[in-house]
Amino acid sequence: MALVLWEAMLTLTGSNRSLQYTKYLSYTKHIQYRWEAFPAPANHVEGGLASAFMRTGILLRNPLVSTPLCLQLSNRSPLLARVQSPSQCCPPSVSQTRLHTTAASAAVSGERRKKADIDWDSLGFGLKDVAKTMYVSEWAPDKGWDQGKLVPYGPITIMPSAQVLNYGQAIFEGMKAQESAKGRVVVFRPDQNAARFKAGAARMSMPAVPEHQFVEAVKSTVAANLDYVPPIGKGSLYLRPLLLGTGPILGLGPAPSYTFTIFAAAVGAYFKGGQLTPIDLIVEERFHRAAPGGMGGTKAAGNYSPVLATQLEAKKNGFADVVYLDAKTDTFLEEVSSCNLFAVKGRTIKTPPLQGTILPGVTRRSIVELARSRGYDVREEPVSVHEAMEADEVFTTGTAVVVSSVGSITHRGQRRQYTEPGQAGRVALEMYTNLTDIQTERAEDKFNWVVPIN
């Protein structure tokens, strides 16, 4: 229906506008579109469908369609009505012109560009195949967040005195866009990343990016890089939203200005052995990832580099990663360097509770909900080292790793082997299969987690 409406609206720019406009009204009468005139944005993406309609236009919004549409009129029509409730058409905190992005075009057109010249069978997790377009929005105290724009992937210019370089005011997210079995590109639970991004900004004394702007920015970035989305089953387009204190400052304090940006890259499996190859972990007893009252529950950039010392040492000794203990008692497992952890015993699945020291992972939350829907007794409770060593199975979750089976855990020289070499655990495989089937629309999405881009 969206495509039919778009074609009907395009006829407005042809001859006999009065007749065509009447036809348009008959289309919209039954689905309650609202419309309003607005000026063209200063910045937009050249070459997309939206760029042909940037002079004078109408912002249209249908409660059944998530992305507003835009259309050009060569002159103002007396039939144009003003929106009775502008807040229903476009949130006041976000410029209407921001909605003129490639995402708006792609969502309506359903068009896909030719795939990038990439060897999809040899994708790793890195920047070898970084996408060509990124999103950038700036914040200033007198203006707030601007509408944002899509620009070629490249450097961000900041001063050496930028707050982020001196005092580390930075948070980030990790997300994926994938080709689905329905022949479209989708993202997974972007609203959850938007909410966590907002909470992280508050913890770091940064201006929050409005959740609707975050989601639209993600859609825009994906839509502008559709040719970098791997074929189904070959990988994903990994998205990295960043919020940076880019304004210059000398004394300790919040930055005077901020940058919100999203870049993307085509990626494959996170661990070198492959997506379903079990990983070997070692329990870390010298260092802690987080402490009560600290920053462990925030996806702050500064939380991650400190784990490199232990992670690199573990890899040197043949382990894939380390698992950290709680800082209070050195008794309970908390997290792997960048993953949440689950332990399985019979039909019971336990995962450490969110008490401020563990990142509230989107994949973690999804597995908790998915496992419960499949009849498992899922408990968010502390998992002791002893309990993990006695478990039937252990697995980790995260956006990058999805679900990764743990082949073994080593603690004080004692190695607990959970699976046969190269063989994923039964529950981990069940969770991985069911989650990825939902993410790629091979299975029904009963949770409404998947959001289509085109």
Side-chain angles (χ1 to χ4, degrees), residues 48 89 111 115 152 183 214 216 231 289 341 357 395 402 448 453:
C89 192
E111 291 186 358
K115 293 287 188 185
F214 179 96
E216 287 299 326
R289 178 189 170 275
L341 183 134
T357 58
F395 62 88
V402 191
N448 295 317
I453 297 298

Side-chain angles (χ1 to χ4, degrees), residues 159-437:
M159 301 297 289
S161 53
Q163 208 279 7
V164 66
L165 298 181
N166 292 266
Y167 301 112
Q169 214 176 15
I171 59 173
F172 70 96
E173 283 294 320
M175 308 173 68
K176 285 180 177 177
Q178 300 182 78
E179 190 171 272
S180 87
K182 294 183 179 181
R184 59 186 183 177
V185 174
V186 298
V187 290
F188 184 69
R189 307 191 78 173
D191 58 318
Q192 297 298 308
N193 293 94
R196 187 170 66 182
F197 206 60
K198 182 178 180 180
R203 180 66 180 86
M204 294 291 286
S205 301
M206 307 168 82
V209 175
E211 293 180 40
H212 47 268
Q213 180 173 0
F214 179 96
V215 173
E216 287 299 326
V218 166
K219 290 181 178 180
S220 299
T221 306
V222 175
N225 295 293
L226 289 177
D227 46 338
Y228 280 80
V229 180
I232 187 168
K234 299 291 187 180
S236 59
L237 180 70
Y238 186 85
L239 298 151
R240 174 56 55 83
L242 292 160
L243 178 55
L244 309 171
T246 47
I249 193 170
L250 185 58
L252 176 60
S257 58
Y258 295 85
T259 300
F260 166 43
T261 186
I262 306 174
F263 68 88
V267 301
Y270 183 77
F271 291 112
K272 288 184 178 180
Q275 187 62 63
L276 292 174
T277 303
I279 59 173
D280 296 313
L281 302 176
I282 184 170
V283 177
E284 171 59 38
E285 295 192 273
R286 293 179 301 158
F287 298 106
H288 296 97
R289 178 189 170 275
M295 292 289 298
T298 301
K299 203 167 179 66
N303 279 350
Y304 290 83
S305 289
V307 310
L308 293 177
T310 53
Q311 188 184 66
L312 293 173
E313 182 67 22
K315 289 183 177 181
K316 191 185 299 182
N317 292 317
F319 298 98
D321 212 331
V322 302
V323 56
Y324 290 92
L325 297 173
D326 73 292
K328 199 170 183 179
T329 69
D330 281 331
T331 302
F332 302 102
L333 300 182
E334 290 211 321
E335 273 193 322
V336 184
S337 297
S338 56
C339 319
N340 294 117
L341 183 134
F342 290 76
V344 181
K345 190 72 172 179
R347 294 288 296 178
T348 299
I349 302 177
K350 293 182 70 172
T351 188
L354 303 178
Q355 297 178 333
T357 58
I358 293 173
L359 189 72
V362 176
T363 309
R364 173 193 180 277
R365 178 173 178 172
S366 303
I367 290 297
V368 167
E369 296 173 24
L370 180 63
R372 283 175 177 160
S373 75
R374 298 185 64 79
Y376 285 93
D377 177 18
V378 182
R379 303 178 185 179
E380 298 181 68
E381 299 175 356
V383 178
S384 68
V385 177
H386 174 75
E387 196 172 5
M389 298 294 277
E390 295 295 322
D392 298 332
E393 185 180 338
V394 175
F395 62 88
T396 66
T397 64
T399 298
V401 304
V402 191
V403 177
S404 182
S405 182
V406 174
S408 71
I409 290 181
T410 298
H411 177 236
R412 296 181 180 176
Q414 180 185 353
R415 181 186 179 98
R416 169 69 167 97
Q417 189 74 36
Y418 300 102
T419 68
E420 294 298 323
Q423 182 178 328
R426 180 185 61 81
V427 178
L429 184 59
E430 177 186 353
M431 294 298 114
Y432 173 84
T433 301
N434 283 275
L435 180 63
T436 55
D437 280 353

